[in-house]
Amino acid sequence: MENLPFEDLDGDTLHEECGVFGILGHPDASTLTALGLHALQHRGQEAAGLVSFDGKQFHAEKRMGLVGDHYTDPSVLARLPGQMAIGHVRYSTTGETALRNVQPLFAELEVGGIAIAHNGNFTNGLTLRKQLIADGAIFQATSDTEVVLHLIARSKHISSSDRFVDAIRHVEGGYSMLALTRTKLIAARDPIGIRPLVMGELDGKPIFCSETCALDIIGARYIRDVENGEVIVCEIQPDGSISIDSTRDEKVGPERLCLFEYVYFARPDSIVGGRSVYTARKAMGKHLAQEAPVEADVVVPVPDGGTPAAIGYAQASGIPFELGIIRNHYVGRTFIEPTQQIRAFGVKLKHSANRAMIEGKRVVLVDDSIVRGTTSLKIVQMIRDAGASEVHIRVASPMIFYPDFYGIDTPDAERLLANQYSSLDAMCKYIGADSLAFLSLDGLYRAVGGESRNDDAPQFTDHYFTGDYPTRLQDQETPPSTVRKLSVMANYG
Amino acid sequence: MENLPFEDLDGDTLHEECGVFGILGHPDASTLTALGLHALQHRGQEAAGLVSFDGKQFHAEKRMGLVGDHYTDPSVLARLPGQMAIGHVRYSTTGETALRNVQPLFAELEVGGIAIAHNGNFTNGLTLRKQLIADGAIFQATSDTEVVLHLIARSKHISSSDRFVDAIRHVEGGYSMLALTRTKLIAARDPIGIRPLVMGELDGKPIFCSETCALDIIGARYIRDVENGEVIVCEIQPDGSISIDSTRDEKVGPERLCLFEYVYFARPDSIVGGRSVYTARKAMGKHLAQEAPVEADVVVPVPDGGTPAAIGYAQASGIPFELGIIRNHYVGRTFIEPTQQIRAFGVKLKHSANRAMIEGKRVVLVDDSIVRGTTSLKIVQMIRDAGASEVHIRVASPMIFYPDFYGIDTPDAERLLANQYSSLDAMCKYIGADSLAFLSLDGLYRAVGGESRNDDAPQFTDHYFTGDYPTRLQDQETPPSTVRKLSVMANYG
Amino acid sequence: MENLPFEDLDGDTLHEECGVFGILGHPDASTLTALGLHALQHRGQEAAGLVSFDGKQFHAEKRMGLVGDHYTDPSVLARLPGQMAIGHVRYSTTGETALRNVQPLFAELEVGGIAIAHNGNFTNGLTLRKQLIADGAIFQATSDTEVVLHLIARSKHISSSDRFVDAIRHVEGGYSMLALTRTKLIAARDPIGIRPLVMGELDGKPIFCSETCALDIIGARYIRDVENGEVIVCEIQPDGSISIDSTRDEKVGPERLCLFEYVYFARPDSIVGGRSVYTARKAMGKHLAQEAPVEADVVVPVPDGGTPAAIGYAQASGIPFELGIIRNHYVGRTFIEPTQQIRAFGVKLKHSANRAMIEGKRVVLVDDSIVRGTTSLKIVQMIRDAGASEVHIRVASPMIFYPDFYGIDTPDAERLLANQYSSLDAMCKYIGADSLAFLSLDGLYRAVGGESRNDDAPQFTDHYFTGDYPTRLQDQETPPSTVRKLSVMANYG
Amino acid sequence: MENLPFEDLDGDTLHEECGVFGILGHPDASTLTALGLHALQHRGQEAAGLVSFDGKQFHAEKRMGLVGDHYTDPSVLARLPGQMAIGHVRYSTTGETALRNVQPLFAELEVGGIAIAHNGNFTNGLTLRKQLIADGAIFQATSDTEVVLHLIARSKHISSSDRFVDAIRHVEGGYSMLALTRTKLIAARDPIGIRPLVMGELDGKPIFCSETCALDIIGARYIRDVENGEVIVCEIQPDGSISIDSTRDEKVGPERLCLFEYVYFARPDSIVGGRSVYTARKAMGKHLAQEAPVEADVVVPVPDGGTPAAIGYAQASGIPFELGIIRNHYVGRTFIEPTQQIRAFGVKLKHSANRAMIEGKRVVLVDDSIVRGTTSLKIVQMIRDAGASEVHIRVASPMIFYPDFYGIDTPDAERLLANQYSSLDAMCKYIGADSLAFLSLDGLYRAVGGESRNDDAPQFTDHYFTGDYPTRLQDQETPPSTVRKLSVMANYG
């Protein structure tokens, strides 16, 4: 659930690109947006941005760092007046780390300004970017989202919402997107419905956000999920009332949500696709206990991601659940660039073994997923050093073989553990455990949705496990280009 | 276990003053000290300081903020060369927040410099300060520790260790203290042994630190606790070997460790006074289940402090343990001074109800302690809003009636919940729970030490519960003075 | 010559927009550019930017503040590798103060990137901006220069230099502009030649910069002025040699340099339009002494702008030149927003009377120009307070009646002293002097160029004195628009 | 007059330690003090500090950098309430650069606090420091001034003013010192009167400051110089009136002001020892013209220090005064640590030749003094490069042979130009001039005081020229010690 800077160095976690939040017609629009983004912080800790419109002018604030580092400051919120706002938290997949890449992005149109915020990734973003540059567009940064902005600016439609719909018709991939114009809040979700997006309301005013936890923090009511391929346009009318219009591409098939939202990304207290994430994770642990039982003294979660599955495993197996690993919450910011000596302490900066629960015991370690395996290796070593007599690893998701192109930052395929070793035994030996087991794909489907995978029409997208990509991958079909890398490296100090 | 800034505003947690770490004769002295302090960060998040000696010169670095924000930076560590170092993390009880108060403190003596770091509080610090000022001493800041520094500087003994022993004979109260001179690392613990201090070794070099978790992070071995009233002097000899001498005041009685170290302060993976803190907390939960059983569907910890006791309660009662409250780890720094509007969201900035585990359920909420009760009130409300059918609070420690004077920051006595309501029922009603129970004092003694309280010679100090202070309180006997408040308010840059 | 922050508050000085510097083919390109910009700092103290190209990638650095605050830092220069660079110092006329407005500006083109830096102002910038937005261009900031960037990106020509020439054909007004592409350094000057631009060489490599003082600091040789309406394209050839091509619009008439370059903007040691600025200023003082003699004891310059003219006045009149006003060089940065109380000390923060040279004396105060007169008023008061028996003001330029639209920031016309009082006597009375005289327009022409004004074809542009604008003013013909003010207020920070 | 950072690297200027300012009983005490310090900024640009007392509490602010960078900020001044304040600007002679060394220094006494600010240097500071440390005093930093603070704290007298007088009786050397207690402003000057200190008044309230220019900026009236060996105690009485008492050591002889105040340090518009500094400098130039005439075309000052003497030289010789060197005022802060490449540009970063006034001319360069000669060397080269046919250097003070111990930072004796070459010819050759001449000591005495040096009782102190030190030099008689260098190197945040 959480991506701390030091772990990034090892590249042994997956990263979600973004979280979005928007609200229309509420007097506390920017404060509520800041709170919503705070609840979505686990979806991106690199940077956060807000745009509000006060009836006359748009206001934008962008900052590197956490929402709570900046957007609870009265002077910052005072610079974001108005009854409508959208916001964005970001971990970068495409685009270097730079304030220019921080969303929402903004464009001045002939009919007034428009700001957009986007969670996901386009599979034809690079192709579109090249076409736009050839046609005289000037790009400021490297994020895919800027492509949409140019498509909007160049659309021949008049109204901003028509231009928005026109623009997203050109993009392919996974996206949940919000747009803010002088009178409208627009929400859109890609035809497959890969990334989540929900609709709620507070005091009768519409809200859109990535997860329900962002509704909970402000006491807003969940209404429904935005459907795959749907565009919802909310507009403030001259009398102050708000109209809500939904259109949906008729050609779209059934939704296929990203399974990793359940495995790792979404907050456990969120309801995603109508299902409790916490309950799904406990069920993964339960299925795992059934698929891969083991005789042991304690079930120990790898915190915090593995905790719900560990509780499920413990309840299903009857082995006591214990906090055998204690997490240090005080990992500072400069741990991003520690000395080599400190870096060598690796996982111990964040985790420590609780010797009293480990020494002389047979330990079942439950983790949510394994990416490259380097962290697992260190944790097993730490548990052994604390005196465990046996260490059994149980992973609450299948092996990862393929990269993602829809907004999850995956390491190069050859660095994935599953691609480095030909057998489970070899992996187990590498990690140093006494046994190793992964949840089956079918077990995962049943834990999340209650039913086995429908191979003719899979209920979710599971391409990282199966290679079954739900869209074409246009950018992958062309040779790599330097255009994606902005040709100016800029420091605006 | 963790004190986050926003909660501080409510004053509804207790704060430990400090943690200390020191090592002698190791080539990586300052890096190891930084890592040790990182493991002790839960004892003080306000500021951190390190002093090293490189054979020729002392080097000091002090910073507001977390250890990991500063002391993993290669350039900072490079400014702390040498084979001996001591360090300190701090949450302030006496002394305003200012870099001048950040420890270790340093004095130039005729025989060379001395740096000291201190966890605890003196009960005659103010009285001594007045005497020293009358005698021409110039104080730089408001911390008690500076008193010891002046006593050392004015001691008529020659050697720095003799001066140190001479100085601490004048102070009363609770202290675990480290000193660094040109050749020595000195450790001392007060005659009652209120604050913890342990001795370990790495590569044959002596280490002293507040808790064993600071040994674990660097792979050091625990040797023994420094005893109450003991002074241990480690000295580098001309041949590079290290001598270790211990002296102990013969008049001291048995140790009486602070019970709150077990209830709340120490890290669960630490061994304090020879006992696993995690095991003690689980035992508190177990005794609490026996003393105050309740029919319920789920046991939910108030994270993170209540988690071990909740596991104990669940195991003893057979009621399932569930994460019914999800904690947001991304509470930013400026949450220290949020807008009034955001402040109103209070506990929800840090905690959110996991509705799937709460709705329609009878919930046992387990917390480590209740100070003022304002946080409990909000958490009960949050759990009720999430649809709980019943909410029962179980507190894994007795009611708090009295202030501490040994290094724990307690609110004014009249603001303590136990002093505001005359009956348990009244408290329960205030908090809004269906039932409320506290662990008995005897239950706590048995959970921690295995035996009931020996009223003739209590095994621990428990003055916040009983008013039975283990030392005289000299500063409390004199009228309050303005001297404690430094008469210059200074802002250096 | 110098524009200090506190004076800005009074709006009683004129400000030049910018200075530019570029070099091609030199291994120390960015260091030399930084030094050149340092020498041009008097043309803009608000911000500075550099762009270099290292054969593979462009590198950009932008900073608010002085060149010497940032660009002498080894780590900043290390981020600007390559043998070609352009740079810019800026004081803003159009465009708010924001890093996004700091030049050089950069665009990714199909054929590679291009960076541009611009001194001057377009008289049809607003009109072009509106047309571009209607056509789908996305503007990032408010500077006029961005218009050129979009025109380049949209040009149908292939090569970057053809696109550049195509783009500047659309703009009207005053400009001296540099562009950097992957192989070329391009210099262009507007058809009237309002703003200066010179060509030099160092080690055989071409340099372009606003004034010769930027050549002097690096020991480069002055070659010639870029002519009005001329575009010079320097290109690195595959063999490392540099080709230089010049084209010039055949329709352009004779150059008409801005007279204020001589009166105030250019550094006294620069050669502008082939004439020593210092010599021109001394000649202004000499003509002023002839036109407006006065019996007095001392000639005192208003430092530093009035010093050369005061020396000329003293030499011509035989009255001794004395430093009767001492300038305080230590005007700090926060003087930008002082307390009201400190602001009331006004001119005394920067200037103080040297009583020994003033008391009991008849003083001739020589200044370069008078804009609103508020500073003159305070200086006269200060001189009188120091005991002067008489104060005579002599201004080394004519009265200012009209705003500039070519890159000089002038106050609203009605706030100009010359427009507030109908007679010289009334002005003199307002300022509090015993006498007041301005240099005649003809005197100025003769001081600068040696000849009287040719009314049929004036040798210089003198519109602020005469209203005789050398171009049409298209933006002034349309009603004011909000488009110029960017509709998003952004803080990226 | 001005000491810019880059020049410091070359060590080719002298630096004054400090300037002081204090005021008692004025409602705008801290604002007036900030303005006074701004006027004294030339005496120290490294750091500035203010202490005020508001009737209840002292308030202190210390900052590295210029007065105008910090103390005009309303929020900083708001933290300095009260009707009495003292302040200090500093360039360090003893003591490293650190905020802990920035004055005023403060001590809490039994009778209340005291703050002191000091210009000068003690010749027995090190000796006293050792004695105090042996007696248990704890030093925080390395400045001499802290010695006085400890002597005050340890004095057996009761009142703060008696303690102050008691304390300064122990110190030897040069000092002008201010102290602020809860009711008093105290001023003291050393028995020789080496450093200047003047008394003024504004609205009937007493002011003390280093130079009269600090009175001029706030419109205060000069009353008289504090006499050598005098202590003036101003005290607010219960009725709000102010009593002023002066005591003076009867044994003191006549004052001997430091000649360098006239040559270089004091601002030209100040009256020092009753004499106009500007007039004295012009007289130095006049005597120099008489002592060392030369046939030439222009007299060019080395700005800004040499300008008054150059005017005097020009007036006496009849050769025209011209600005042949233009100074760049925009030398940024990071020029302190430029790249080696930029450093090589040396003097050209600050000065440039005005070729129009130099080319083909015989130039007389007038400078105030020569320390190591390295700057002169570069300036001569620059003037020659600009085409001068002859370069004659005239220095308006004698050769410097000896170090100062009274508050002027001089290079090691062997690095002084006068000690490196045995003859004037050799020096001239090293510098590369056609001729070189220094003002005679007698010429300097006559320029400043109107009379020749009275060798039996010199009217000034001139030890850097003659070796005739006006006090004993106790610290120089003992072997060098490491105590002066604080044995802890500290970095606080």
Side-chain angles (χ1 to χ4, degrees), chain C residues 33-44:
Chain C
T33 302
L35 287 164
L37 293 178
H38 171 59
L40 296 171
Q41 190 79 76
H42 59 286
R43 298 184 76 86

Side-chain angles (χ1 to χ4, degrees), chain B residues 283-478:
Chain B
M284 293 174 210
K286 189 182 129 203
H287 282 87
L288 188 58
Q290 291 158 356
E291 291 184 6
V294 62
E295 255 186 55
D297 302 308
V298 285
V299 172
V300 168
V302 178
D304 284 351
T307 304
I311 292 174
Y313 195 103
Q315 290 179 1
S317 66
I319 306 168
F321 169 89
E322 298 287 357
L323 299 187
I325 298 175
I326 302 299
R327 177 168 166 183
N328 186 335
H329 294 298
Y330 305 102
V331 174
R333 313 237 158 150
T334 51
F335 270 47
I336 287 169
E337 293 186 60
T339 64
Q340 194 48 44
Q341 209 172 20
I342 282 177
R343 185 193 277 257
F345 283 86
V347 80
K348 295 180 78 173
L349 296 175
K350 205 166 97 182
H351 296 307
S352 65
N354 181 5
R355 180 177 290 268
M357 286 300 108
I358 299 292
E359 196 160 19
K361 297 222 163 67
R362 294 169 299 172
V363 176
V364 183
L365 267 185
V366 180
D367 207 349
D368 52 71
S369 57
I370 290 187
V371 181
R372 288 175 43 200
T374 48
T375 303
S376 309
L377 178 79
K378 289 173 190 162
I379 285 180
V380 170
Q381 186 59 47
M382 184 177 77
I383 296 299
R384 288 217 187 275
D385 289 349
S389 61
E390 294 175 19
V391 184
H392 303 275
I393 300 194
R394 294 298 177 268
V395 184
S397 60
M399 284 188 246
I400 302 169
F401 290 96
Y402 302 94
D404 181 84
F405 299 107
Y406 306 101
I408 303 177
D409 189 21
T410 28
D412 293 340
E414 65 270 26
R415 305 189 74 188
L416 294 165
L417 181 70
N419 291 328
Q420 288 188 302
Y421 295 93
S422 54
S423 72
L424 197 62
D425 273 3
M427 285 180 217
C428 182
K429 196 170 168 191
Y430 164 72
I431 286 174
D434 292 292
S435 78
L436 168 67
F438 290 84
L439 181 62
S440 68
L441 183 62
D442 206 61
L444 178 57
Y445 267 78
R446 284 189 293 127
V448 176
E451 292 175 17
S452 293
R453 187 181 201 262
N454 175 351
D455 287 348
D456 296 330
Q459 304 91 315
F460 302 98
T461 181
D462 52 18
H463 46 276
Y464 16 74
F465 306 131
T466 61
D468 171 17
Y469 291 98
T471 68
R472 81 174 168 146
L473 305 173
Q474 192 179 4
D475 286 352
Q476 305 304 312
E477 294 153 15
T478 56

Side-chain angles (χ1 to χ4, degrees), chain C residues 316-396:
Chain C
S317 67
I319 305 168
F321 169 89
E322 299 287 356
L323 298 187
I325 298 175
I326 301 300
R327 178 169 165 182
N328 186 335
H329 294 297
Y330 304 103
V331 174
R333 313 235 159 152
T334 52
F335 270 46
I336 288 168
E337 292 187 61
T339 63
Q340 193 49 44
Q341 209 173 18
I342 282 178
R343 186 194 277 257
F345 283 87
V347 81
K348 294 179 80 173
L349 296 174
K350 206 166 96 183
H351 296 307
S352 66
N354 181 4
R355 181 178 290 269
M357 286 300 108
I358 299 292
E359 197 160 17
K361 297 222 163 70
R362 294 169 299 172
V363 176
V364 184
L365 268 184
V366 179
D367 207 349
D368 51 72
S369 57
I370 290 186
V371 181
R372 287 174 44 200
T374 49
T375 303
S376 309
L377 178 79
K378 289 173 190 162
I379 286 180
V380 169
Q381 186 59 47
M382 184 177 77
I383 296 298
R384 288 216 186 276
D385 289 349
S389 61
E390 294 176 19
V391 183
H392 303 275
I393 300 193
R394 293 297 176 268
V395 184

Side-chain angles (χ1 to χ4, degrees), chain C residues 1-4 27-28 31-32 34-35 38-43 45 66-75 77 213 215-219 267-271 276 278-279 282 304 307-308 311 315 320-324 326-342 345 348-357, chain D residues 1-4 27-28 31-32 34-35 38-43 45 66-75 77 213 215-219 267-271 276 278-279 282 304 307-308 311 315 320-324 326-342 345 348-357:
Chain C
M1 186 185 108
E2 194 177 348
N3 313 309
L4 276 155
D28 304 324
T31 295
L32 293 168
L35 287 164
H38 171 59
L40 296 171
Q41 190 79 76
H42 59 286
R43 298 184 76 86
Q45 299 93 49
L66 299 182
V67 174
D69 284 339
H70 306 291
Y71 294 97
T72 56
D73 179 336
S75 70
L77 285 172
C213 62
L215 299 174
D216 291 341
I217 194 173
I218 56 171
R267 242 174 65 169
D269 52 333
S270 281
I271 308 297
S276 155
Y278 181 84
T279 306
K282 271 189 62 183
D304 286 353
T307 304
I311 292 175
Q315 289 180 358
F321 169 89
E322 299 287 356
L323 298 187
I326 301 300
R327 178 169 165 182
N328 186 335
H329 294 297
Y330 304 103
V331 174
R333 313 235 159 152
T334 52
F335 270 46
I336 288 168
E337 292 187 61
T339 63
Q340 193 49 44
Q341 209 173 18
I342 282 178
F345 283 87
K348 294 179 80 173
L349 296 174
K350 206 166 96 183
H351 296 307
S352 66
N354 181 4
R355 181 178 290 269
M357 286 300 108
Chain D
M1 189 183 107
E2 194 177 350
N3 313 309
L4 276 155
D28 303 325
T31 295
L32 293 168
L35 287 163
H38 171 59
L40 296 171
Q41 190 80 76
H42 58 287
R43 298 184 75 85
Q45 298 94 49
L66 299 181
V67 175
D69 283 339
H70 305 291
Y71 293 97
T72 55
D73 179 337
S75 70
L77 286 171
C213 63
L215 299 175
D216 291 342
I217 194 173
I218 57 171
R267 239 173 65 169
D269 52 333
S270 281
I271 309 298
S276 156
Y278 180 84
T279 306
K282 271 190 62 185
D304 286 350
T307 304
I311 292 175
Q315 290 180 0
F321 169 90
E322 298 288 357
L323 299 186
I326 302 299
R327 178 169 165 182
N328 186 336
H329 293 297
Y330 304 102
V331 174
R333 313 237 159 151
T334 50
F335 270 47
I336 288 169
E337 293 186 60
T339 63
Q340 192 50 42
Q341 208 172 20
I342 282 178
F345 283 87
K348 295 180 80 172
L349 296 175
K350 206 167 97 180
H351 296 306
S352 65
N354 182 5
R355 180 177 290 269
M357 287 300 108

Side-chain angles (χ1 to χ4, degrees), chain D residues 263-426:
Chain D
V263 168
Y264 180 80
F265 291 129
R267 239 173 65 169
D269 52 333
S270 281
I271 309 298
V272 170
R275 304 165 194 94
S276 156
V277 172
Y278 180 84
T279 306
R281 285 182 192 162
K282 271 190 62 185
M284 294 172 210
K286 189 182 130 203
H287 282 88
L288 189 57
Q290 289 159 356
E291 291 184 5
V294 62
E295 252 186 58
D297 302 309
V298 285
V299 172
V300 167
V302 178
D304 286 350
T307 304
I311 292 175
Y313 195 103
Q315 290 180 0
S317 66
I319 305 168
F321 169 90
E322 298 288 357
L323 299 186
I325 299 174
I326 302 299
R327 178 169 165 182
N328 186 336
H329 293 297
Y330 304 102
V331 174
R333 313 237 159 151
T334 50
F335 270 47
I336 288 169
E337 293 186 60
T339 63
Q340 192 50 42
Q341 208 172 20
I342 282 178
R343 186 193 275 259
F345 283 87
V347 81
K348 295 180 80 172
L349 296 175
K350 206 167 97 180
H351 296 306
S352 65
N354 182 5
R355 180 177 290 269
M357 287 300 108
I358 299 292
E359 196 160 19
K361 297 221 162 69
R362 295 168 300 171
V363 176
V364 183
L365 267 184
V366 180
D367 207 348
D368 50 72
S369 57
I370 289 186
V371 181
R372 289 175 43 201
T374 48
T375 303
S376 309
L377 177 80
K378 290 173 189 160
I379 286 180
V380 169
Q381 185 61 47
M382 183 177 78
I383 295 299
R384 288 215 187 276
D385 287 349
S389 61
E390 296 175 17
V391 184
H392 304 274
I393 300 194
R394 293 297 176 268
V395 184
S397 59
M399 285 188 243
I400 303 170
F401 290 97
Y402 301 94
D404 181 85
F405 299 106
Y406 306 101
I408 302 177
D409 190 23
T410 28
D412 294 340
E414 64 269 27
R415 304 187 75 190
L416 294 166
L417 181 69
N419 291 328
Q420 289 188 302
Y421 295 93
S422 54
S423 72
L424 198 62
D425 271 4

Side-chain angles (χ1 to χ4, degrees), chain A residues 1-4 27-28 31-32 34-35 38-43 45 66-75 77 213 215-219 267-271 276 278-279 282 304 307-308 311 315 320-324 326-342 345 348-357, chain B residues 1-4 27-28 31-32 34-35 38-43 45 66-75 77 213 215-219 267-271 276 278-279 282 304 307-308 311 315 320-324 326-342 345 348-357:
Chain A
M1 187 184 108
E2 193 176 348
N3 314 309
L4 276 156
D28 303 325
T31 295
L32 293 167
L35 287 163
H38 171 59
L40 297 171
Q41 189 80 77
H42 59 287
R43 298 184 76 85
Q45 299 93 49
L66 300 181
V67 175
D69 284 340
H70 305 292
Y71 293 97
T72 56
D73 179 336
S75 70
L77 286 171
C213 63
L215 299 174
D216 291 342
I217 194 173
I218 57 171
R267 243 175 62 169
D269 52 333
S270 281
I271 309 298
S276 155
Y278 181 84
T279 305
K282 270 189 63 183
D304 288 351
T307 304
I311 292 174
Q315 289 180 1
F321 169 90
E322 299 288 357
L323 299 187
I326 302 299
R327 179 171 164 181
N328 186 335
H329 293 298
Y330 304 103
V331 175
R333 313 237 158 149
T334 50
F335 270 46
I336 288 168
E337 293 186 61
T339 63
Q340 193 49 43
Q341 209 173 17
I342 283 179
F345 283 86
K348 295 180 80 174
L349 296 174
K350 205 166 99 182
H351 296 307
S352 66
N354 181 4
R355 181 178 290 268
M357 287 299 108
Chain B
M1 188 183 109
E2 194 177 351
N3 314 308
L4 275 155
D28 303 325
T31 295
L32 293 167
L35 287 164
H38 171 58
L40 297 171
Q41 189 79 76
H42 59 287
R43 298 184 75 84
Q45 299 93 50
L66 299 180
V67 175
D69 283 338
H70 306 291
Y71 293 97
T72 56
D73 179 337
S75 70
L77 286 171
C213 63
L215 298 175
D216 291 342
I217 194 172
I218 56 171
R267 241 173 66 168
D269 53 333
S270 281
I271 308 298
S276 155
Y278 181 83
T279 305
K282 270 189 63 184
D304 284 351
T307 304
I311 292 174
Q315 290 179 1
F321 169 89
E322 298 287 357
L323 299 187
I326 302 299
R327 177 168 166 183
N328 186 335
H329 294 298
Y330 305 102
V331 174
R333 313 237 158 150
T334 51
F335 270 47
I336 287 169
E337 293 186 60
T339 64
Q340 194 48 44
Q341 209 172 20
I342 282 177
F345 283 86
K348 295 180 78 173
L349 296 175
K350 205 166 97 182
H351 296 307
S352 65
N354 181 5
R355 180 177 290 268
M357 286 300 108

Side-chain angles (χ1 to χ4, degrees), chain C residues 45-222:
Chain C
Q45 299 93 49
E46 192 183 76
L50 262 89
V51 168
S52 72
F53 179 71
D54 66 2
K56 291 185 182 160
Q57 194 157 26
F58 289 88
H59 301 267
E61 298 280 329
K62 299 184 179 183
R63 295 284 190 287
M64 301 306 292
L66 299 182
V67 174
D69 284 339
H70 306 291
Y71 294 97
T72 56
D73 179 336
S75 70
V76 174
L77 285 172
R79 289 198 296 270
L80 291 164
Q83 305 208 352
M84 47 208 287
I86 62 173
H88 189 267
V89 290
R90 159 195 168 88
Y91 175 85
S92 67
T93 50
T94 66
E96 322 121 58
T97 301
L99 269 175
R100 290 173 302 154
N101 271 325
V102 175
Q103 301 189 22
L105 299 184
F106 180 83
E108 193 75 55
L109 306 179
E110 215 179 349
V111 294
I114 187 165
I116 58 175
H118 165 221
N119 172 27
N121 199 60
F122 304 141
T123 48
N124 66 338
L126 174 55
T127 308
L128 291 169
R129 171 183 284 258
K130 279 180 179 168
Q131 292 167 359
L132 284 161
I133 287 176
D135 198 35
I138 298 179
F139 277 76
Q140 294 303 317
T142 53
S143 93
D144 262 19
T145 314
E146 201 175 349
V147 165
V148 177
L149 208 63
H150 280 287
L151 292 171
I152 292 171
R154 282 154 186 263
S155 169
K156 297 305 171 200
H157 288 269
I158 302 299
S159 83
S160 51
S161 49
D162 288 350
R163 284 169 176 241
F164 178 80
V165 172
D166 184 26
I168 62 172
R169 264 190 206 132
H170 293 82
V171 300
E172 298 172 358
Y175 55 84
S176 286
M177 206 178 297
L178 299 183
L180 189 75
T181 73
R182 298 168 65 92
T183 57
K184 296 171 190 160
L185 171 64
I186 309 172
R189 203 154 157 240
D190 71 72
I192 313 292
I194 298 172
R195 302 263 71 91
L197 188 64
V198 302
M199 184 176 185
E201 62 87 17
L202 180 67
D203 306 335
K205 310 302 180 183
I207 297 170
F208 298 95
C209 53
S210 297
E211 293 181 30
T212 59
C213 62
L215 299 174
D216 291 341
I217 194 173
I218 56 171
R221 188 175 63 87
Y222 167 76

